[in-house]
Amino acid sequence: MRDTPEGLRRPERVGPVSPQMAAVIDRACPGVNIRHDPAEHEAEYHSVWGPVVGARLGWSTDDDLRRNASSGGALSAILTHLLISGEIDYVVQTAVSEDSPVRNALYVSTGRDEVFHAAGSRYAPSSPLEDISKRLDSPGRFAFVGKPCDVAGLRQLARIDRRVDEKVSYMLAFMCAGVPSYRGTSAVLAAMGVKDESQVTAFRFRGDGWPGYATAQMADGTRFTMDYNTSWGSILNRHLQFRCKICPDGIGEFADIVCADGWHCDEKGYPLFEEQEGRSIVLSRTRKGEELVLRAMNARNLACEPLEIEQIRHIQPFQARRKGLVLPRLMAMTVMGRKRPRFKNLSLFENVRALGIKESVRSMLGALQRLVQAGDRQI
C-alpha cells in the first residue's frame, strides 16, 4: 500500500499477478465487489440496517477510556474484554502513525493501554489489511477492527481462504461516512491556524470528550482546536474519495459487531453537538457477536441499554438514507462510461424507492457533475 499524490491509500502491484490470483482479488476486493450471501445471515435482513441480532446503546465502564474514545468507547471496551479474558492474542486496528502525528498506521494491541492509545476516530486513509497474508500464516488468533469496506473484504476472503476463520476470532467495524484524503487533514490544520505541519507534535480528530474537538499540539506548546461540526461537517467531508460516495455499506453489515456514534438529536433529527458523555450504537450482526456483547456486559466492561431498531434512523439519519443514493450514482457512472463496482443482496432497490424520485435525480445529477469535472483524473 502507498500514499498517492492526492493523499489517498492505494495498492501498488510489485510483481506479476496470475489469472488465479486476479480471480481471488476480484472476489474479495470490496472496491470492485461487495456481495452478501444470504445463507450466512444469522438474523433477518433489515433493508436499511442489514442483519441485526441485537441492538443497544452502550459505553465503556472505564471512565478514562470512555472519554478518550470518540463515541463512548463501546468498541474499545469490547476489545479490552477480549484481551483481558484471553479469548484473543491481539487486535489488528488503526492508530496514529509513529512516523507522523497527522498520519495513520496499522497498529497491533495486546492490552488495555494499546487499545486506549488507538481509541478515537482517524478521519484519514488507513489500510489495516495491508499485511493480512502474513498474519494468517503466523501464530495467534486476533480480532480485526476496520472500516466497513475492510471488514467486507476480509469476510469475502474468508469464503475462499479457510485461514481467515481459523485465525480471525472476530471482525468488528465502526460506521463510516467516507474516508477523507490527507489533503482534508491538511485543510483542517490550515483552518485551525497551523502554518507548518512539521511542527505538529500531536493531533487528534476527536475524543477527550464527546463529540470532542480536533486538536493540534505544536512544538512550541501552542494548541489549536476546532469543533467537530466544523472539522467534519465543513471541511473533511469535502475531501471524500468518489468510491466512498457510491458505497452501499457504511454500516458494517459484514462485521460480527459494529459500533457508531449514538447521537442525541433535535426534533428534526439533526445531531446535537454539545459536549456530553459519549455513547455508542452497538449492533451485533452474528450470534457470536451477540454472545461477545453479553459477555462484555456481564464482566462489567461494557454498559448498555436497549435500542429499538427503528430508533437508529433518528440517531444516524445520514446512514438511514445512504443506501438509497447508490443506484442513482451508479447510473451516472454508466452514462459516463465508467466501470462500476458490483453490489449484490444489499437491498439497494428497496432503498432507492424509499428515497424517492426527486432525491434520486438530484443524486444522479450530482454524481454526473463530479465525474465530468474529474475527467480522467483519479476520483
Side-chain angles (χ1 to χ4, degrees):
M1 297 297 293
R2 64 180 178 86
D3 291 336
T4 70
E6 295 81 16
L8 302 169
R9 292 286 282 172
R10 290 290 184 266
E12 180 178 15
R13 189 173 67 178
V14 295
V17 178
S18 69
Q20 293 81 9
M21 181 55 67
V24 169
I25 293 170
D26 184 70
R27 288 184 63 183
C29 176
V32 297
N33 169 48
I34 294 182
R35 176 180 59 86
H36 267 305
D37 181 351
E40 297 175 352
H41 294 163
E42 297 178 349
E44 183 178 353
Y45 188 85
H46 191 284
S47 62
V48 176
W49 303 113
V52 178
V53 176
R56 299 172 177 86
L57 287 170
W59 52 89
S60 173
T61 57
D62 180 331
D63 291 339
D64 291 337
L65 187 57
R66 183 179 187 181
R67 181 169 182 82
N68 190 53
S70 287
S71 55
L75 184 56
S76 297
I78 292 168
L79 297 176
T80 301
H81 171 78
L82 283 171
L83 290 167
I84 292 173
S85 65
E87 290 188 52
I88 59 172
D89 297 295
Y90 62 97
V91 177
V92 174
Q93 55 187 147
T94 296
V96 61
S97 171
E98 293 182 357
D99 299 325
S100 169
V102 296
R103 294 290 185 268
N104 293 336
L106 184 152
Y107 188 73
V108 172
S109 297
T110 58
R112 183 265 183 192
D113 289 346
E114 288 97 338
V115 171
F116 183 92
H117 172 74
S121 298
R122 302 293 304 175
Y123 297 124
S126 63
S127 50
L129 287 170
E130 62 187 45
D131 70 348
I132 190 62
S133 184
K134 180 182 73 175
R135 295 200 177 276
L136 295 178
D137 282 331
S138 300
R141 290 174 60 82
F142 61 94
F144 176 80
V145 184
K147 305 179 295 296
C149 54
D150 298 323
V151 174
L154 189 57
R155 186 72 72 185
Q156 292 181 153
L157 181 62
R159 295 170 181 160
I160 51 180
D161 189 335
R162 66 182 184 183
R163 296 177 302 166
V164 177
D165 288 335
E166 292 171 355
K167 295 290 184 178
V168 185
S169 299
Y170 295 95
M171 300 183 197
L172 301 103
F174 42 84
M175 291 190 189
C176 174
V179 178
S181 70
Y182 280 127
R183 291 181 177 180
T185 305
S186 296
V188 168
L189 291 168
M192 283 179 170
V194 174
K195 294 181 170 54
D196 184 356
E197 282 189 24
S198 69
Q199 295 302 301
V200 178
T201 59
F203 177 72
R204 64 188 307 154
F205 289 89
R206 286 181 62 189
D208 192 24
W210 186 58
Y213 290 81
T215 306
Q217 188 73 37
M218 309 301 292
D220 64 2
T222 308
R223 188 167 177 264
F224 296 93
T225 63
M226 179 182 290
D227 66 275
Y228 172 74
N229 196 26
T230 302
S231 63
W232 173 262
S234 300
I235 301 175
L236 288 168
N237 69 7
R238 299 177 185 273
H239 292 269
L240 301 181
Q241 55 188 337
F242 184 77
R243 178 60 182 78
C244 294
K245 293 182 179 294
I246 56 171
C247 176
D249 178 26
I251 58 174
E253 294 191 18
F254 293 80
D256 293 302
I257 301 169
V258 63
C259 295
D261 275 292
W263 294 114
H264 296 279
C265 299
D266 63 20
E267 63 277 3
K268 295 182 180 179
Y270 191 77
L272 301 172
F273 296 107
E274 291 84 1
E275 290 290 308
Q276 52 195 304
E277 293 292 321
R279 64 178 192 174
S280 308
I281 294 173
V282 182
L283 302 182
S284 51
R285 300 196 177 282
T286 63
R287 284 193 292 271
K288 75 173 186 177
E290 174 72 0
E291 291 166 0
L292 172 56
V293 170
L294 293 174
R295 289 197 301 276
M297 291 171 60
N298 290 336
R300 298 186 178 180
N301 292 309
L302 176 69
C304 287
E305 61 185 43
L307 174 66
E308 294 294 330
I309 193 74
E310 293 308 320
Q311 286 182 269
I312 305 174
R313 181 180 300 275
H314 303 290
I315 301 173
Q316 285 282 341
F318 169 73
Q319 297 292 0
R321 62 192 295 271
R322 185 174 184 179
K323 275 191 187 182
L325 303 171
V326 174
L327 285 182
R329 292 172 178 175
L330 292 180
M331 291 175 63
M333 295 182 73
T334 299
V335 170
M336 294 297 296
R338 295 293 187 104
K339 189 174 181 179
R340 297 172 24 165
R342 307 185 307 277
F343 303 140
K344 188 175 181 181
N345 297 328
L346 289 151
S347 296
L348 298 186
F349 286 103
E350 292 89 337
N351 280 270
V352 78
R353 282 199 297 267
L355 186 69
I357 294 177
K358 183 178 179 180
E359 284 298 309
S360 296
V361 171
R362 181 181 300 172
S363 180
M364 179 179 176
L365 292 177
L368 278 172
Q369 183 179 21
R370 285 190 290 271
L371 292 166
V372 170
Q373 291 173 345
D376 293 331
R377 291 184 292 107
Q378 186 181 47
I379 57 172

